[in-house]
């Protein structure tokens, strides 16, 4: 993964092993957001996400649905760039 070793913080949550790959993919593409003229997030740039994941030797197709789920959650929560990523 481009020499990036994401370290998850010690918090009070449980990460299921099945979700680890999607979480690592989401952290890898966290700079691939598209923003509207008002500065609000519109969604992930999927082409940018694919390029970042391929460069990181991750399988884009294997994690795409999980990325979309996480993208939707961020957008629904109204989390802005100052709060995350």
């Amino acid at each position: 993964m481009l020499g990036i070793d994401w370290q998850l913080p010690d918090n009070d949550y449980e990460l299921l092993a099945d979700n680890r790959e999607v979480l690592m993919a989401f952290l890898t593409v966290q700079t691939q957001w598209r923003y509207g003229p008002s500065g609000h997030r519109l969604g992930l740039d999927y082409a940018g996400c694919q390029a970042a994941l391929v460069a990181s030797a991750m399988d884009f197709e294997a994690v795409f649905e999980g990325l979309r789920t996480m993208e939707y959650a961020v957008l629904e929560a109204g989390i802005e760039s100052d709060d995350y990523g």
Side-chain angles (χ1 to χ4, degrees), residues 3 5 12 17 20 30 34-35 44 65-68 72 78:
D5 183 22
D12 293 328
R20 186 179 190 286
Q30 67 184 337
R34 288 189 177 220
Y35 292 87
L44 287 169
E65 286 303 315
L67 283 178
R68 291 188 66 211
Y72 180 77

Side-chain angles (χ1 to χ4, degrees), residues 6 19-33 41 44 49 53 58 63 66-75 84-85:
W6 292 109
N19 296 329
R20 186 179 190 286
E21 185 176 16
V22 171
L23 177 59
M24 294 298 108
F26 188 73
L27 292 173
T28 299
V29 303
Q30 67 184 337
T31 60
Q32 300 304 314
W33 288 97
R41 289 178 195 236
L44 287 169
C49 290
L53 293 173
M58 298 182 82
V63 298
L67 283 178
R68 291 188 66 211
T69 299
M70 293 183 76
E71 169 192 36
Y72 180 77
V74 169
L75 294 173
Y84 175 84

